[in-house]
């Protein structure tokens, strides 16, 4: 009714611009019913492939200033610049037969699995169990970070905790790849319930990672390249870094100011959250 009576654009879906506006200045739209106008050349970037929560949050930030002038107005996006939405797309359901299903994936246009796996930079899959014992699949991208999580089990599992695995590098997960390849992990459901994993689900862990990244981006001396910049440059040139180069980087890190700063920040974090994270050794024990 809105489309027909208000002359809003409709092209199979409700047409919006990058600020969720339709042709009618009083009507905004977001979600799977919408699509960006054709002038943007982004037919694959429909809202249904993104996190519905992130889409709704962005729409709220756009329209709230219309009702509350004290609410901060979001930075305007250029007319032909597609909004950058980065939160994972999460799907959870209880299927017929009592199966609990969870799928967490990077937001992107839909591509079938067989086609995606043909990409040389696809990465690898780590799988434990099956539909009877509990199926748990992790897809690590070429940078060894979790890009997809898929779970299927008869018994209930902690959805919120498992969702926190998305985006983590395998080293954060207790050297996941090395342990998996050595045959030390037979059940990811049990593995991610072990005491060491408590840190992954802590509500301040993402802040800690961001702070550590900022510390690694700081150079030893003004005008020098930071360790983070050097690593990024090497990865851009070739994803496969030689062992002697890795050894040189580790040696440089061990003598850098960043190492001391990172250790101090980590011990400070553990000390502040010791009642929530009792399984980890503090500075006086390390």
């Amino acid at each position: 009714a809105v489309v027909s009576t208000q002359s809003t654009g409709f092209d199979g879906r409700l047409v919006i611009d990058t600020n969720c506006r339709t042709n009618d200045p009083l009507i905004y739209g977001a979600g799977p019913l919408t699509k960006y106008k054709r002038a943007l050349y982004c037919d694959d970037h429909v809202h249904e492939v993104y996190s519905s929560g992130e889409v709704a949050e962005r729409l709220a930030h756009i329209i709230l200033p219309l009702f509350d002038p004290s609410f901060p107005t979001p930075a305007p996006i250029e007319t032909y610049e597609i909004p950058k939405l980065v939160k994972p797309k999460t799907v959870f359901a209880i299927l017929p037969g009592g199966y609990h299903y969870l799928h967490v994936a990077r937001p992107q246009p839909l591509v079938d699995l067989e086609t995606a796996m043909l990409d040389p930079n696809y990465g690898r899959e780590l799988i434990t169990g099956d539909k009877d014992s509990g199926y748990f699949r992790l897809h690590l991208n070429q940078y060894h970070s979790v890009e997809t999580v898929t779970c299927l089990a008869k018994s209930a599992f902690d959805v919120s905790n498992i969702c926190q695995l998305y985006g983590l590098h395998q080293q954060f997960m207790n050297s996941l790849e090395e342990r998996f390849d050595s045959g030390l992990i037979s059940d990811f459901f049990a593995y991610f319930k072990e005491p060491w994993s408590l840190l992954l689900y802590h509500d301040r862990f993402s802040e800690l990672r961001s702070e550590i990244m900022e510390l690694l981006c700081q150079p030893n001396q003004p005008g020098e390249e930071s360790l983070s910049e050097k690593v990024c440059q090497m990865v851009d040139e070739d994803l496969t870094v030689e062992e002697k180069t890795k050894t040189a980087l580790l040696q440089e890190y061990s003598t850098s100011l960043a190492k001391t700063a990172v250790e101090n920040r980590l011990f400070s974090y553990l000390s502040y959250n010791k009642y929530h994270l009792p399984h980890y050794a503090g500075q006086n024990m390390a």
Side-chain angles (χ1 to χ4, degrees):
V2 171
V3 174
S4 61
T5 59
Q6 300 296 334
S7 299
T8 52
F10 190 82
D11 184 12
R13 303 172 188 243
L14 184 65
V15 178
I16 58 173
D17 64 12
T18 54
N19 289 302
C20 298
R21 295 173 301 198
T22 66
N23 290 343
D24 190 313
L26 299 179
I27 298 178
Y28 289 74
L33 181 64
T34 64
K35 65 177 292 185
Y36 291 117
K37 55 186 179 181
R38 292 197 179 192
L40 298 174
Y41 295 98
C42 59
D43 289 346
D44 290 335
H45 292 271
V46 289
H47 281 175
E48 67 180 324
V49 305
Y50 297 106
S51 163
S52 57
E54 189 176 19
V55 170
E57 183 178 350
R58 183 169 184 276
L59 178 61
H61 276 79
I62 291 172
I63 65 175
L64 271 179
L66 302 177
F67 301 96
D68 184 359
S70 66
F71 194 84
T73 304
I77 295 178
E78 294 295 331
T79 305
Y80 293 97
E81 181 183 350
I82 303 301
K84 187 176 182 180
L85 302 175
V86 297
K87 292 184 179 180
K89 170 80 172 180
T90 302
V91 177
F92 173 74
I94 299 179
L95 304 177
Y99 287 98
H100 294 72
Y101 170 78
L102 173 67
H103 184 69
V104 186
R106 178 168 64 92
Q108 61 182 348
L110 297 177
V111 179
D112 66 86
L113 182 59
E114 291 185 359
T115 301
M117 294 181 71
L118 294 176
D119 187 337
N121 293 326
Y122 176 75
R124 63 177 300 195
E125 296 178 323
L126 307 180
I127 299 174
T128 64
D130 54 32
K131 65 180 180 62
D132 296 317
S133 61
Y135 175 85
F136 200 127
R137 171 183 174 271
L138 292 173
H139 165 215
L140 305 184
N141 61 22
Q142 70 268 40
Y143 303 111
H144 305 278
S145 296
V146 176
E147 192 163 293
T148 309
V149 182
T150 307
C151 300
L152 181 69
K154 272 279 192 179
S155 57
F157 48 81
D158 196 322
V159 174
S160 60
N161 280 357
I162 292 178
C163 287
Q164 300 305 312
L165 303 179
Y166 173 82
L168 293 182
H169 191 275
Q170 64 92 17
Q171 287 287 3
F172 282 118
M173 296 176 283
N174 210 6
S175 300
L176 177 72
E177 285 188 279
E178 181 180 349
R179 291 174 180 274
F180 183 85
D181 292 337
S182 300
L184 299 177
I185 304 175
S186 59
D187 182 357
F188 279 140
F189 285 107
Y191 181 71
F192 289 114
K193 288 181 180 179
E194 293 176 2
W196 67 265
S197 66
L198 188 61
L199 179 66
L200 306 181
Y201 317 130
H202 193 258
D203 57 358
R204 300 187 186 96
F205 183 51
S206 61
E207 295 178 11
L208 174 66
R209 301 202 313 272
S210 299
E211 291 171 3
I212 289 177
M213 182 58 68
E214 289 179 8
L215 293 173
L216 293 175
C217 289
Q218 296 176 4
N220 266 347
Q221 299 293 335
E224 289 185 0
E225 275 189 326
S226 68
L227 192 63
S228 176
E229 289 173 331
K230 291 180 181 179
V231 172
C232 289
Q233 184 177 353
M234 292 177 183
V235 171
D236 287 340
E237 293 173 357
D238 188 355
L239 280 177
T240 305
V241 181
E242 296 181 356
E243 287 300 322
K244 63 179 181 179
T245 305
K246 292 181 182 179
T247 302
L249 285 172
L250 288 172
Q251 180 63 32
E252 182 177 347
Y253 173 71
S254 66
T255 58
S256 68
L257 297 176
K259 180 177 184 295
T260 302
V262 168
E263 289 178 349
N264 289 339
R265 181 65 194 94
L266 178 59
F267 283 128
S268 173
Y269 176 87
L270 292 175
S271 175
Y272 184 80
N273 298 287
K274 61 183 179 181
Y275 295 110
H276 299 130
L277 304 169
H279 305 290
Y280 297 88
Q283 190 167 16
N284 297 329
M285 300 174 61

Short mmCIF file of all heavy atoms in Angstrom, two decimals, residues 32-79:
data_model
loop_
_atom_site.label_atom_id
_atom_site.label_comp_id
_atom_site.label_asym_id
_atom_site.label_seq_id
_atom_site.Cartn_x
_atom_site.Cartn_y
_atom_site.Cartn_z
N PRO A 32 15.32 -6.97 4.69
CA PRO A 32 15.29 -7.82 3.50
C PRO A 32 14.29 -7.39 2.42
O PRO A 32 14.38 -7.87 1.30
CB PRO A 32 14.92 -9.20 4.07
CG PRO A 32 14.24 -8.91 5.36
CD PRO A 32 14.91 -7.69 5.90
N LEU A 33 13.37 -6.50 2.77
CA LEU A 33 12.41 -6.03 1.76
C LEU A 33 13.01 -4.95 0.86
O LEU A 33 12.45 -4.60 -0.16
CB LEU A 33 11.15 -5.47 2.46
CG LEU A 33 10.02 -4.95 1.57
CD1 LEU A 33 9.44 -6.09 0.73
CD2 LEU A 33 8.92 -4.30 2.40
N THR A 34 14.18 -4.44 1.21
CA THR A 34 14.74 -3.30 0.49
C THR A 34 15.92 -3.70 -0.41
O THR A 34 16.48 -4.79 -0.29
CB THR A 34 15.24 -2.23 1.49
OG1 THR A 34 16.32 -2.78 2.26
CG2 THR A 34 14.13 -1.79 2.41
N LYS A 35 16.28 -2.78 -1.29
CA LYS A 35 17.48 -2.91 -2.11
C LYS A 35 17.99 -1.51 -2.43
O LYS A 35 17.22 -0.54 -2.41
CB LYS A 35 17.18 -3.66 -3.41
CG LYS A 35 16.22 -2.93 -4.35
CD LYS A 35 16.02 -3.68 -5.66
CE LYS A 35 17.26 -3.69 -6.50
NZ LYS A 35 17.05 -4.30 -7.84
N TYR A 36 19.28 -1.39 -2.71
CA TYR A 36 19.83 -0.10 -3.08
C TYR A 36 19.47 0.22 -4.52
O TYR A 36 19.29 -0.68 -5.35
CB TYR A 36 21.35 -0.09 -2.91
CG TYR A 36 21.79 -0.15 -1.46
CD1 TYR A 36 22.53 -1.23 -0.98
CD2 TYR A 36 21.46 0.87 -0.57
CE1 TYR A 36 22.94 -1.28 0.34
CE2 TYR A 36 21.85 0.81 0.75
CZ TYR A 36 22.59 -0.26 1.20
OH TYR A 36 22.98 -0.32 2.52
N LYS A 37 19.37 1.51 -4.82
CA LYS A 37 18.99 1.91 -6.18
C LYS A 37 20.04 1.45 -7.19
O LYS A 37 21.22 1.29 -6.88
CB LYS A 37 18.81 3.42 -6.24
CG LYS A 37 20.00 4.24 -5.78
CD LYS A 37 19.64 5.71 -5.76
CE LYS A 37 20.82 6.56 -5.28
NZ LYS A 37 20.46 8.00 -5.22
N ARG A 38 19.61 1.24 -8.42
CA ARG A 38 20.47 0.64 -9.44
C ARG A 38 21.68 1.51 -9.77
O ARG A 38 22.71 1.00 -10.21
CB ARG A 38 19.66 0.39 -10.71
CG ARG A 38 18.61 -0.68 -10.55
CD ARG A 38 18.12 -1.18 -11.89
NE ARG A 38 17.12 -2.23 -11.76
CZ ARG A 38 16.71 -2.99 -12.76
NH1 ARG A 38 17.21 -2.80 -13.97
NH2 ARG A 38 15.81 -3.92 -12.55
N ALA A 39 21.57 2.80 -9.55
CA ALA A 39 22.69 3.68 -9.86
C ALA A 39 23.93 3.35 -9.04
O ALA A 39 25.05 3.76 -9.40
CB ALA A 39 22.28 5.14 -9.62
N LEU A 40 23.77 2.61 -7.95
CA LEU A 40 24.90 2.25 -7.10
C LEU A 40 25.62 0.99 -7.58
O LEU A 40 26.71 0.67 -7.09
CB LEU A 40 24.42 2.04 -5.66
CG LEU A 40 23.80 3.26 -4.98
CD1 LEU A 40 23.25 2.89 -3.62
CD2 LEU A 40 24.83 4.38 -4.85
N TYR A 41 25.01 0.25 -8.53
CA TYR A 41 25.61 -0.96 -9.09
C TYR A 41 26.02 -1.95 -7.99
O TYR A 41 27.17 -2.40 -7.92
CB TYR A 41 26.83 -0.62 -9.96
CG TYR A 41 26.48 0.17 -11.19
CD1 TYR A 41 26.62 1.55 -11.21
CD2 TYR A 41 25.98 -0.46 -12.34
CE1 TYR A 41 26.29 2.30 -12.33
CE2 TYR A 41 25.66 0.26 -13.48
CZ TYR A 41 25.80 1.65 -13.46
OH TYR A 41 25.46 2.38 -14.57
N CYS A 42 25.09 -2.26 -7.12
CA CYS A 42 25.40 -3.17 -6.00
C CYS A 42 24.20 -4.07 -5.71
O CYS A 42 23.77 -4.18 -4.56
CB CYS A 42 25.81 -2.38 -4.76
SG CYS A 42 24.54 -1.22 -4.19
N ASP A 43 23.70 -4.72 -6.73
CA ASP A 43 22.51 -5.55 -6.56
C ASP A 43 22.71 -6.69 -5.56
O ASP A 43 21.75 -7.17 -4.96
CB ASP A 43 22.08 -6.13 -7.91
CG ASP A 43 21.49 -5.05 -8.83
OD1 ASP A 43 21.17 -3.96 -8.32
OD2 ASP A 43 21.38 -5.30 -10.05
N ASP A 44 23.96 -7.15 -5.40
CA ASP A 44 24.22 -8.25 -4.47
C ASP A 44 24.23 -7.80 -3.01
O ASP A 44 24.09 -8.61 -2.11
CB ASP A 44 25.55 -8.92 -4.79
CG ASP A 44 25.51 -9.70 -6.09
OD1 ASP A 44 24.40 -10.10 -6.48
OD2 ASP A 44 26.57 -9.90 -6.72
N HIS A 45 24.39 -6.50 -2.78
CA HIS A 45 24.51 -5.99 -1.42
C HIS A 45 23.15 -5.63 -0.83
O HIS A 45 22.91 -4.48 -0.46
CB HIS A 45 25.45 -4.78 -1.40
CG HIS A 45 26.87 -5.13 -1.70
ND1 HIS A 45 27.78 -5.50 -0.73
CD2 HIS A 45 27.53 -5.22 -2.88
CE1 HIS A 45 28.94 -5.77 -1.30
NE2 HIS A 45 28.82 -5.60 -2.59
N VAL A 46 22.28 -6.61 -0.74
CA VAL A 46 20.98 -6.39 -0.12
C VAL A 46 21.11 -6.61 1.38
O VAL A 46 22.00 -7.33 1.85
CB VAL A 46 19.92 -7.34 -0.72
CG1 VAL A 46 19.58 -6.93 -2.14
CG2 VAL A 46 20.39 -8.78 -0.67
N HIS A 47 20.22 -6.01 2.15
CA HIS A 47 20.33 -6.05 3.60
C HIS A 47 20.20 -7.45 4.18
O HIS A 47 20.67 -7.71 5.28
CB HIS A 47 19.28 -5.13 4.23
CG HIS A 47 19.66 -3.69 4.19
ND1 HIS A 47 18.83 -2.67 4.61
CD2 HIS A 47 20.81 -3.08 3.79
CE1 HIS A 47 19.43 -1.51 4.46
NE2 HIS A 47 20.63 -1.73 3.95
N GLU A 48 19.60 -8.36 3.44
CA GLU A 48 19.38 -9.69 4.00
C GLU A 48 20.68 -10.47 4.18
O GLU A 48 20.71 -11.47 4.90
CB GLU A 48 18.41 -10.49 3.13
CG GLU A 48 18.92 -10.83 1.74
CD GLU A 48 17.89 -11.61 0.95
OE1 GLU A 48 17.18 -12.44 1.56
OE2 GLU A 48 17.79 -11.40 -0.27
N VAL A 49 21.77 -10.05 3.55
CA VAL A 49 23.04 -10.76 3.72
C VAL A 49 23.84 -10.20 4.90
O VAL A 49 24.92 -10.72 5.22
CB VAL A 49 23.91 -10.71 2.44
CG1 VAL A 49 23.13 -11.24 1.25
CG2 VAL A 49 24.42 -9.30 2.16
N TYR A 50 23.32 -9.17 5.56
CA TYR A 50 24.02 -8.56 6.68
C TYR A 50 23.32 -8.89 7.99
O TYR A 50 22.21 -9.42 8.02
CB TYR A 50 24.08 -7.04 6.50
CG TYR A 50 24.85 -6.60 5.28
CD1 TYR A 50 24.18 -6.12 4.14
CD2 TYR A 50 26.23 -6.66 5.25
CE1 TYR A 50 24.88 -5.72 3.02
CE2 TYR A 50 26.94 -6.26 4.13
CZ TYR A 50 26.26 -5.80 3.01
OH TYR A 50 26.96 -5.41 1.90
N SER A 51 23.98 -8.54 9.08
CA SER A 51 23.38 -8.72 10.40
C SER A 51 22.16 -7.81 10.53
O SER A 51 22.26 -6.59 10.37
CB SER A 51 24.41 -8.36 11.48
OG SER A 51 23.79 -8.15 12.72
N SER A 52 21.00 -8.40 10.83
CA SER A 52 19.77 -7.60 10.96
C SER A 52 19.90 -6.60 12.10
O SER A 52 19.38 -5.49 12.03
CB SER A 52 18.57 -8.51 11.19
OG SER A 52 18.76 -9.33 12.34
N GLY A 53 20.63 -6.99 13.17
CA GLY A 53 20.82 -6.08 14.28
C GLY A 53 21.64 -4.87 13.89
O GLY A 53 21.33 -3.73 14.29
N GLU A 54 22.68 -5.07 13.09
CA GLU A 54 23.52 -3.95 12.66
C GLU A 54 22.77 -3.04 11.69
O GLU A 54 22.89 -1.81 11.74
CB GLU A 54 24.80 -4.47 12.00
CG GLU A 54 25.82 -3.38 11.72
CD GLU A 54 27.12 -3.93 11.17
OE1 GLU A 54 27.13 -5.08 10.67
OE2 GLU A 54 28.13 -3.21 11.22
N VAL A 55 21.95 -3.65 10.81
CA VAL A 55 21.13 -2.86 9.89
C VAL A 55 20.15 -1.99 10.67
O VAL A 55 19.99 -0.80 10.41
CB VAL A 55 20.38 -3.78 8.90
CG1 VAL A 55 19.35 -2.97 8.10
CG2 VAL A 55 21.36 -4.47 7.97
N ALA A 56 19.48 -2.60 11.67
CA ALA A 56 18.51 -1.86 12.47
C ALA A 56 19.18 -0.76 13.28
O ALA A 56 18.63 0.35 13.42
CB ALA A 56 17.78 -2.83 13.41
N GLU A 57 20.37 -1.03 13.78
CA GLU A 57 21.11 -0.03 14.56
C GLU A 57 21.46 1.17 13.69
O GLU A 57 21.34 2.32 14.13
CB GLU A 57 22.38 -0.67 15.14
CG GLU A 57 23.18 0.27 16.02
CD GLU A 57 24.40 -0.40 16.62
OE1 GLU A 57 24.53 -1.63 16.48
OE2 GLU A 57 25.23 0.32 17.20
N ARG A 58 21.87 0.90 12.47
CA ARG A 58 22.21 2.01 11.57
C ARG A 58 20.98 2.84 11.22
O ARG A 58 21.03 4.08 11.19
CB ARG A 58 22.86 1.47 10.30
CG ARG A 58 23.30 2.60 9.38
CD ARG A 58 24.19 2.15 8.25
NE ARG A 58 24.59 3.33 7.52
CZ ARG A 58 23.86 3.91 6.57
NH1 ARG A 58 22.69 3.38 6.23
NH2 ARG A 58 24.27 5.00 5.96
N LEU A 59 19.87 2.17 10.95
CA LEU A 59 18.64 2.90 10.65
C LEU A 59 18.21 3.75 11.84
O LEU A 59 17.79 4.90 11.67
CB LEU A 59 17.52 1.92 10.28
CG LEU A 59 16.14 2.54 9.99
CD1 LEU A 59 16.22 3.50 8.80
CD2 LEU A 59 15.11 1.46 9.74
N ALA A 60 18.36 3.20 13.04
CA ALA A 60 17.99 3.96 14.24
C ALA A 60 18.84 5.22 14.38
O ALA A 60 18.33 6.30 14.73
CB ALA A 60 18.15 3.07 15.48
N HIS A 61 20.14 5.11 14.10
CA HIS A 61 21.01 6.28 14.19
C HIS A 61 20.66 7.33 13.15
O HIS A 61 20.88 8.53 13.37
CB HIS A 61 22.47 5.85 14.01
CG HIS A 61 23.12 5.35 15.26
ND1 HIS A 61 22.90 4.07 15.74
CD2 HIS A 61 23.95 5.95 16.15
CE1 HIS A 61 23.58 3.91 16.86
NE2 HIS A 61 24.22 5.03 17.14
N ILE A 62 20.08 6.89 12.04
CA ILE A 62 19.70 7.84 10.99
C ILE A 62 18.42 8.59 11.36
O ILE A 62 18.32 9.81 11.18
CB ILE A 62 19.53 7.11 9.64
CG1 ILE A 62 20.89 6.64 9.13
CG2 ILE A 62 18.86 8.00 8.61
CD1 ILE A 62 20.81 5.74 7.92
N ILE A 63 17.42 7.86 11.89
CA ILE A 63 16.12 8.50 12.10
C ILE A 63 15.93 9.09 13.50
O ILE A 63 15.08 9.96 13.68
CB ILE A 63 14.97 7.51 11.81
CG1 ILE A 63 14.98 6.34 12.80
CG2 ILE A 63 15.05 7.01 10.38
CD1 ILE A 63 13.79 5.40 12.62
N LEU A 64 16.73 8.67 14.49
CA LEU A 64 16.54 9.21 15.84
C LEU A 64 16.72 10.72 15.91
O LEU A 64 15.98 11.39 16.63
CB LEU A 64 17.48 8.51 16.82
CG LEU A 64 16.94 7.23 17.48
CD1 LEU A 64 17.96 6.61 18.40
CD2 LEU A 64 15.65 7.51 18.24
N PRO A 65 17.69 11.32 15.18
CA PRO A 65 17.81 12.78 15.24
C PRO A 65 16.55 13.52 14.75
O PRO A 65 16.34 14.68 15.11
CB PRO A 65 19.00 13.07 14.31
CG PRO A 65 19.81 11.82 14.35
CD PRO A 65 18.80 10.71 14.44
N LEU A 66 15.72 12.84 13.95
CA LEU A 66 14.48 13.48 13.49
C LEU A 66 13.50 13.66 14.64
O LEU A 66 12.67 14.57 14.61
CB LEU A 66 13.85 12.62 12.39
CG LEU A 66 14.70 12.36 11.14
CD1 LEU A 66 13.96 11.44 10.19
CD2 LEU A 66 15.07 13.67 10.45
N PHE A 67 13.59 12.78 15.64
CA PHE A 67 12.68 12.83 16.78
C PHE A 67 13.33 13.47 18.00
O PHE A 67 12.63 14.02 18.86
CB PHE A 67 12.21 11.42 17.13
CG PHE A 67 11.51 10.71 16.00
CD1 PHE A 67 12.19 9.84 15.17
CD2 PHE A 67 10.17 10.93 15.76
CE1 PHE A 67 11.55 9.19 14.13
CE2 PHE A 67 9.51 10.28 14.73
CZ PHE A 67 10.20 9.41 13.90
N ASP A 68 14.63 13.38 18.10
CA ASP A 68 15.35 13.92 19.26
C ASP A 68 16.55 14.71 18.76
O ASP A 68 17.60 14.14 18.46
CB ASP A 68 15.78 12.77 20.17
CG ASP A 68 16.45 13.28 21.44
OD1 ASP A 68 16.59 14.51 21.60
OD2 ASP A 68 16.84 12.44 22.28
N PRO A 69 16.43 16.03 18.68
CA PRO A 69 17.54 16.86 18.16
C PRO A 69 18.82 16.74 18.97
O PRO A 69 19.90 17.05 18.47
CB PRO A 69 16.97 18.29 18.25
CG PRO A 69 15.48 18.11 18.26
CD PRO A 69 15.24 16.83 18.99
N SER A 70 18.72 16.28 20.23
CA SER A 70 19.92 16.15 21.06
C SER A 70 20.72 14.91 20.71
O SER A 70 21.88 14.76 21.12
CB SER A 70 19.53 16.10 22.55
OG SER A 70 18.79 14.93 22.84
N PHE A 71 20.10 14.00 19.95
CA PHE A 71 20.80 12.78 19.57
C PHE A 71 21.82 13.11 18.49
O PHE A 71 21.52 13.83 17.54
CB PHE A 71 19.80 11.74 19.04
CG PHE A 71 20.36 10.36 18.93
CD1 PHE A 71 20.38 9.53 20.03
CD2 PHE A 71 20.89 9.89 17.73
CE1 PHE A 71 20.89 8.23 19.94
CE2 PHE A 71 21.41 8.61 17.63
CZ PHE A 71 21.40 7.78 18.75
N PRO A 72 23.07 12.61 18.62
CA PRO A 72 24.11 12.96 17.63
C PRO A 72 23.77 12.44 16.24
O PRO A 72 23.34 11.31 16.05
CB PRO A 72 25.36 12.26 18.18
CG PRO A 72 24.85 11.18 19.08
CD PRO A 72 23.57 11.72 19.68
N THR A 73 23.93 13.32 15.27
CA THR A 73 23.66 12.96 13.87
C THR A 73 24.82 12.17 13.32
O THR A 73 25.98 12.58 13.46
CB THR A 73 23.43 14.22 13.02
OG1 THR A 73 22.38 14.98 13.60
CG2 THR A 73 23.09 13.86 11.59
N PRO A 74 24.59 11.01 12.68
CA PRO A 74 25.70 10.21 12.14
C PRO A 74 26.41 10.93 11.01
O PRO A 74 25.82 11.79 10.33
CB PRO A 74 25.00 8.94 11.64
CG PRO A 74 23.59 9.36 11.37
CD PRO A 74 23.28 10.40 12.40
N ALA A 75 27.66 10.60 10.84
CA ALA A 75 28.43 11.21 9.76
C ALA A 75 27.79 10.85 8.42
O ALA A 75 27.45 9.69 8.17
CB ALA A 75 29.87 10.71 9.80
N PRO A 76 27.58 11.81 7.54
CA PRO A 76 26.94 11.51 6.25
C PRO A 76 27.80 10.62 5.38
O PRO A 76 29.03 10.70 5.41
CB PRO A 76 26.78 12.90 5.63
CG PRO A 76 27.85 13.74 6.27
CD PRO A 76 27.97 13.22 7.67
N ILE A 77 27.15 9.76 4.64
CA ILE A 77 27.85 8.86 3.72
C ILE A 77 27.67 9.41 2.31
O ILE A 77 26.58 9.86 1.94
CB ILE A 77 27.28 7.43 3.82
CG1 ILE A 77 27.57 6.86 5.21
CG2 ILE A 77 27.88 6.53 2.76
CD1 ILE A 77 27.02 5.48 5.43
N GLU A 78 28.76 9.38 1.56
CA GLU A 78 28.68 9.88 0.19
C GLU A 78 27.58 9.13 -0.58
O GLU A 78 27.32 7.95 -0.34
CB GLU A 78 30.02 9.69 -0.51
CG GLU A 78 31.16 10.52 0.06
CD GLU A 78 30.94 12.01 -0.11
OE1 GLU A 78 30.27 12.39 -1.08
OE2 GLU A 78 31.40 12.79 0.74
N THR A 79 26.95 9.83 -1.49
CA THR A 79 25.79 9.29 -2.20
C THR A 79 26.06 7.93 -2.82
O THR A 79 25.21 7.05 -2.79
CB THR A 79 25.36 10.28 -3.31
OG1 THR A 79 25.12 11.56 -2.72
CG2 THR A 79 24.09 9.80 -3.98
#
